[in-house]
Amino acid sequence: MSLELISPEAIEQLAQQYGYWAIFLGILLENLGLPIPGETVTLAGGFLAGSDQLNYWWVVGDAALGATIGGNLGYWIGRYGGWALLLNLGKLFRIKEAQIEELRRQFGENAGKAVFFGRFIALLRIFASPLAGIAGMPYWRFTLYNTVGALTWATVMVSLAYFAGQIVPLEKLFTLASQFGAVAFLLVAAWIVVPFWLESRKSKQLVAESAKGNAIVIDEAMDQQNQEANLSKD
């Protein structure tokens, strides 16, 4: 992605040089909003574990721990300051507060799924935790989904590079992971935006139909008054 702060090659070099600390901090910083590709970090760690430069279980634990701590920090940021920030962004883009409130309600209904599966989707991995805080998701429930999601994501990504890295070049894995993340993000964005657009369009149609109906009623009332006036003259 063009917004990435560090290139895949640089991440691979940092992982080779600093090992577990590079993996832990890379995932933690990504979850705090920095444009560091988490998939690349975990894949680099898994590849190094597959070539016996790092320990597989330590890499998985590092990635899961960084994701869990980062997710928790994001949750509390959203819980205590996210709603005001979201309203200001809404004003900037001319989105009504009622619409933002509706989005918050809808996210709250699916917060658990978003936190868990968001681990596998670029950008949503960063924003799911703050949004869970904004939506008021109970902390114990968030902790469950966040921890299980972080451990599942870390295990899948590290294992993928650990085994596939022996037959597929690491650069190819980086490319495939980036493409998958981009496609998944577009699908999720469409899943969120399209229903919102349809609902907005439906509301506008209802308002237009209501206005049209009121106009017809007014016209009929005026016609009736005119008829009564004409009869009174006769």
Side-chain angles (χ1 to χ4, degrees):
M1 294 177 65
S2 59
L3 294 178
E4 290 174 358
L5 183 65
I6 306 177
S7 67
E9 293 77 13
I11 288 176
E12 183 180 358
Q13 293 176 1
L14 288 171
Q16 289 176 332
Q17 185 173 359
Y18 297 103
Y20 307 113
W21 277 110
I23 296 168
F24 171 76
L25 291 176
I27 301 300
L28 177 64
L29 293 175
E30 185 208 25
N31 278 262
L32 290 178
L34 292 181
I36 298 174
E39 295 93 345
T40 303
V41 176
T42 51
L43 289 175
F47 180 82
L48 293 176
S51 58
D52 294 326
Q53 298 181 58
L54 295 175
N55 180 274
Y56 169 83
W57 295 108
W58 275 99
V59 173
V60 172
D62 261 7
L65 185 62
T68 301
I69 294 176
N72 273 274
L73 293 174
Y75 173 89
W76 290 113
I77 290 173
R79 189 69 177 263
Y80 287 107
W83 179 241
L85 177 61
L86 201 59
L87 289 178
N88 289 331
L89 289 175
K91 293 177 181 178
L92 181 63
F93 293 99
R94 297 182 179 179
I95 302 176
K96 297 179 180 179
E97 183 175 344
Q99 293 176 314
I100 299 177
E101 179 62 43
E102 177 62 19
L103 287 175
R104 180 169 72 166
R105 185 191 65 79
Q106 292 179 0
F107 183 89
E109 293 176 353
N110 300 280
K113 296 178 182 178
V115 171
F116 181 86
F117 292 106
R119 288 289 172 194
F120 296 88
I121 301 173
L123 294 183
L124 186 57
R125 183 165 52 251
I126 299 173
F127 295 114
S129 295
L131 288 174
I134 292 173
M137 182 180 185
Y139 181 64
W140 69 266
R141 189 164 176 263
F142 167 80
T143 300
L144 175 63
Y145 280 97
N146 181 54
T147 303
V148 175
L151 183 58
T152 303
W153 171 75
T155 302
V156 170
M157 299 303 296
V158 173
S159 299
L160 177 64
Y162 182 84
F163 293 106
Q166 301 178 18
I167 56 177
V168 179
L170 184 58
E171 291 74 15
K172 182 66 174 179
L173 289 177
F174 288 161
T175 301
L176 292 175
S178 178
Q179 291 174 346
F180 171 80
V183 172
F185 174 74
L186 290 175
L187 291 175
V188 171
W191 177 63
I192 296 173
V193 173
V194 171
F196 180 75
W197 176 76
L198 291 175
E199 184 66 25
S200 177
R201 184 179 179 184
K202 182 179 179 181
S203 298
K204 290 180 180 179
Q205 289 178 342
L206 290 175
V207 171
E209 291 175 358
S210 177
K212 184 178 180 181
N214 291 335
I216 293 174
V217 170
I218 293 173
D219 290 340
E220 290 178 349
M222 292 181 65
D223 289 341
Q224 185 175 359
Q225 289 178 356
N226 291 332
Q227 290 176 3
E228 291 176 354
N230 292 331
L231 288 175
S232 62
K233 290 180 181 180
D234 295 340

